[in-house]
Amino acid sequence: MSRSAKRPAKGSALLLTAGSGVLGLLVWTLLANSGIQGFPGPLSVVERFGTLVGDGTLPLDLLASLRRVLIGFVLGVVLAVPVGFLMGWYPAIRGLIEPWLQFFRMVPPLAIIPLAIVLLGIGETPKIFVIFLASFLSSVVSTFQGVVSVDNTLINAARVLGAKDRTVFTGVVIPASTPFILVGMRIGLGASWATVVAAELIAAQEGLGYRMQQAQLYYDLSTIFVQLIVIGLVGLLMDRALLLAERRLTGWQERR
Amino acid sequence: MTPKIEFRGLSHRFELGAGDFAALDDVDLSIAEGEFVTVVGPSGCGKSTLMNAAAGLLTPTGGEVLVDGAAVHGPSPQRGVIFQQYALFPWMSVRKNVEFGLKIAGVGQAERRAKAQHFIDLVGLTDFADALPRTLSGGMKQRCAIARAYAVDPTVLLMDEPFGALDALTRVQLQDRLLDTWSRDRRTVMFITHDVDEAVYLANRVIVMAARPGRVHQVIDVGLPYPRSEEIRLSPEFAELRRQVWHAVYHQPTTLEGSP
Ligand SMILES: Nc1ncnc2c1ncn2[C@@H]1O[C@H](COP(=O)(O)OP(=O)(O)OP(=O)(O)O)[C@@H](O)[C@H]1O
Ligand SMILES: [Mg+2]
């Protein structure tokens, strides 16, 4: 039912997306022709894209950035999920951890970079650490929120069917909080991606952010444009991939 | 003979910010093996609290509940519970929901599947065995919850306004199905409802509760024979009983609003 109802909507949505893309290119071309110094049009950016791919710079930069994000992100999530569960399950642990979480959530991960560089040097570690922090903070909060918002009736329903604490936890609390965890992961991945690029602007020898920073020194706007577009597209792709996983895993939810 | 369920001096006070609140005060009530008892009363009179104490989901602050002569400590699959909000596990299919209790009880896969299928068929959800709860109507969800409770073969069924959220026609159909099953297995049933018609139609005995504090106000025996039918629903005896229950529910001795 919902499928047939969605189809025409999907078609026109696609049309709108295409239209908005064309419109964006038009505005861009107009801006490029309006005489701002060094402002590249779409064509020269595509050309630069070709060069950067051809000489291997772009793939290598992309790989470096992706590697940092994935390591930091995965470490963050791997730690956040158990900590979030513990916080949701044991009020004492929540009481101990929550003030720190609330505090660090208010500090943008980027603001940690100077400290991380001083303490951890200028290698990969401080960048990965900052990304780890960004993904950990957003995932831990949502996991914890997921656990505390598990419907009490569901827990009771399991208990009257004979479930003990362990089964209640594995059979009810974990699946019921999956949607929250996945949303937290999506936010965390977005935050990680934003953070890695910014971290590379400050200190790196390779990566999309580093390349932009270099291009800035030489007033090379085309290269900056290529990096920006790649950053946006890759971020979008990663978000879509997680969204897809989320739909797959939590299609049982009532809403939507 | 020991009653199947016995409430002895059951009291419960909820702790609130300012002092506490007496939800139940000294409830004495016995339910015999195989009896079908309905509980009615104004909203907030402690019906759910009473049932949760029997289910073992709530530890009363005073008195005790005995089932088969033994004090209740915590929930047990012996006492099946049906919740008003269905409480199906939304990530499990109907079949997985019904199998849940059997799996916990350690029933092997083949037997589990066969048993679950039996109860799914019994409640008429054969074609929806692999559907997720979100695709079911309210009545179908509650039938699934009933199958899930039956599957672990409880000796007592505790039902908290199970049909409260359903339309009138579905409700009557489920009432008849429930009575039909009950007349065959004679499980002890404690059934909470807001609906005076439903209370009289189903029960051997109607317990009318009063509020502030929650207590048993009146017990009304329903002498009507089973199987119950449309005809009974329209009989003058039914009308008279309904009038009695109605009166007991809606013309209670008033207590001061806000007094504990
Ligand atoms: N967790 C709680 N904390 C404090 N007060 C509570 C709690 N649960 C119930 N109460 C109070 O206890 C009283 C009895 O509640 P209960 O849910 O048993 O009533 P009920 O008869 O089932 O009502 P309804 O017909 O609306 O379901 C109510 O006045 C309610 O406000
Ligand atoms: Mg209630």
Side-chain angles (χ1 to χ4, degrees):
Chain A
M1 179 198 83
S2 68
R3 254 197 201 166
S4 61
K6 254 183 195 163
R7 249 183 208 152
K10 222 176 195 172
S12 62
L14 218 66
L15 221 71
L16 278 172
T17 311
S20 112
V22 170
L23 212 69
L25 282 175
L26 260 173
V27 172
W28 183 5
T29 314
L30 278 176
L31 274 175
N33 291 333
S34 71
I36 305 175
Q37 240 247 295
F39 198 96
L43 277 180
S44 53
V45 169
V46 168
E47 209 173 294
R48 177 55 51 88
F49 178 82
T51 326
L52 288 174
V53 171
D55 66 9
T57 326
L58 187 60
L60 284 179
D61 284 334
L62 183 59
L63 215 66
S65 297
L66 274 178
R67 198 176 140 261
R68 290 174 186 136
V69 162
L70 290 186
I71 296 177
F73 172 71
V74 169
L75 287 178
V77 169
V78 163
L79 184 69
V81 170
V83 170
F85 274 124
L86 286 174
M87 284 175 65
W89 203 242
Y90 299 106
I93 295 185
R94 171 185 180 181
L96 283 176
I97 298 182
E98 202 174 9
W100 291 103
L101 274 186
Q102 296 302 348
F103 173 76
F104 276 107
R105 250 154 56 94
M106 289 304 124
V107 180
L110 277 182
I112 305 287
I113 289 185
L115 177 69
I117 289 179
V118 170
L119 291 180
L120 302 167
I122 50 159
E124 287 297 282
T125 326
K127 290 175 218 73
I128 291 177
F129 175 75
V130 170
I131 293 156
F132 158 82
L133 207 64
S135 86
F136 173 77
L137 288 173
S138 53
S139 304
V140 80
V141 171
S142 59
T143 306
F144 155 71
Q145 230 119 48
V147 176
V148 293
S149 61
V150 174
D151 185 356
N152 225 355
T153 323
L154 288 185
I155 294 180
N156 283 341
R159 298 217 295 143
V160 298
L161 288 165
K164 300 287 174 244
D165 274 3
R166 226 173 65 127
T167 319
V168 168
F169 191 75
T170 56
V172 179
V173 175
I174 291 181
S177 39
T178 321
F180 286 82
I181 298 173
L182 289 171
V183 167
M185 281 171 64
R186 256 181 80 209
I187 297 170
L189 191 58
S192 301
W193 190 236
T195 308
V196 77
V197 173
E200 289 167 351
L201 285 173
I202 297 175
Q205 285 75 46
E206 54 182 349
L208 298 172
Y210 163 76
R211 196 63 55 201
M212 271 206 288
Q213 207 264 335
Q214 291 296 303
Q216 181 203 337
L217 293 179
Y218 300 105
Y219 212 75
D220 178 2
L221 280 180
S222 297
T223 301
I224 294 187
F225 268 59
V226 170
Q227 311 298 322
L228 281 178
I229 292 170
V230 169
I231 290 166
L233 285 179
V234 171
L236 205 64
L237 272 177
M238 293 195 299
D239 189 64
R240 282 298 126 118
L242 265 187
L243 188 67
L244 208 73
E246 194 185 318
R247 294 250 161 93
R248 274 270 164 104
L249 287 169
T250 62
W252 46 264
Q253 286 183 97
E254 291 275 353
R255 52 214 146 94
R256 195 181 282 160
Chain B
M1 199 178 107
T2 42
K4 184 74 189 175
I5 309 174
E6 190 177 3
F7 298 90
R8 268 199 208 152
L10 194 79
S11 301
H12 191 73
R13 307 183 73 88
F14 282 108
E15 280 185 38
L16 296 173
D20 48 11
F21 175 84
L24 288 175
D25 184 48
D26 198 21
V27 173
D28 286 305
L29 179 67
S30 291
I31 300 173
E33 169 102 52
E35 198 178 10
F36 199 127
V37 163
T38 53
V39 181
V40 279
S43 186
C45 70
K47 303 181 295 289
S48 297
T49 308
L50 189 70
M51 203 202 75
N52 285 337
L57 292 171
L58 170 142
T59 310
T61 51
E64 56 183 352
V65 188
L66 307 177
V67 172
D68 292 322
V72 166
H73 297 291
S76 148
Q78 282 295 295
R79 281 163 272 130
V81 180
I82 311 281
F83 303 89
Q84 174 171 4
Q85 315 87 323
Y86 320 126
L88 297 176
F89 305 119
W91 53 88
M92 294 183 195
S93 64
V94 166
R95 187 191 310 284
K96 285 276 171 347
N97 264 285
V98 177
E99 285 184 5
F100 187 82
L102 296 167
K103 204 167 167 183
I104 291 170
V107 177
Q109 197 183 343
E111 192 189 343
R112 200 162 75 212
R113 202 176 162 91
K115 261 199 172 153
Q117 189 64 52
H118 170 77
F119 288 104
I120 290 168
D121 295 342
L122 182 78
V123 297
L125 287 179
T126 313
D127 294 339
F128 296 88
D130 295 305
L132 284 173
R134 72 182 173 93
T135 63
L136 304 180
S137 70
M140 289 156 84
K141 282 182 188 156
Q142 199 55 295
R143 271 143 63 195
C144 175
I146 290 172
R148 184 175 68 177
Y150 282 154
V152 291
D153 198 21
T155 57
V156 170
L157 275 184
L158 304 167
M159 312 178 83
D160 192 352
E161 302 190 32
F163 307 150
L166 305 177
D167 65 275
L169 181 64
T170 310
R171 194 182 316 165
V172 169
Q173 286 168 343
L174 289 194
Q175 286 166 3
D176 284 334
R177 266 176 194 272
L178 180 65
L179 277 186
D180 196 45
T181 319
W182 174 77
S183 61
R184 275 181 277 122
D185 61 27
R186 292 284 162 165
R187 271 179 241 269
T188 312
V189 181
M190 179 174 167
F191 185 110
I192 292 170
T193 175
H194 263 122
D195 181 337
V196 170
D197 269 54
E198 183 170 73
V200 173
Y201 185 68
L202 295 174
N204 294 119
R205 263 195 311 158
V206 180
I207 315 293
V208 181
M209 290 181 66
R212 292 171 179 279
R215 60 199 186 276
V216 174
H217 174 52
Q218 210 173 316
V219 177
I220 294 165
D221 279 304
V222 179
L224 304 171
Y226 292 96
R228 303 225 167 132
S229 61
E230 180 89 39
E231 232 166 275
I232 287 187
R233 230 184 249 281
L234 299 172
S235 70
E237 293 87 348
F238 187 87
E240 169 56 21
L241 282 160
R242 190 177 51 195
R243 196 196 57 74
Q244 267 183 44
V245 174
W246 188 271
H247 189 86
V249 174
Y250 293 97
H251 300 275
Q252 299 192 335
T254 48
T255 49
L256 276 178
E257 189 63 27
S259 71

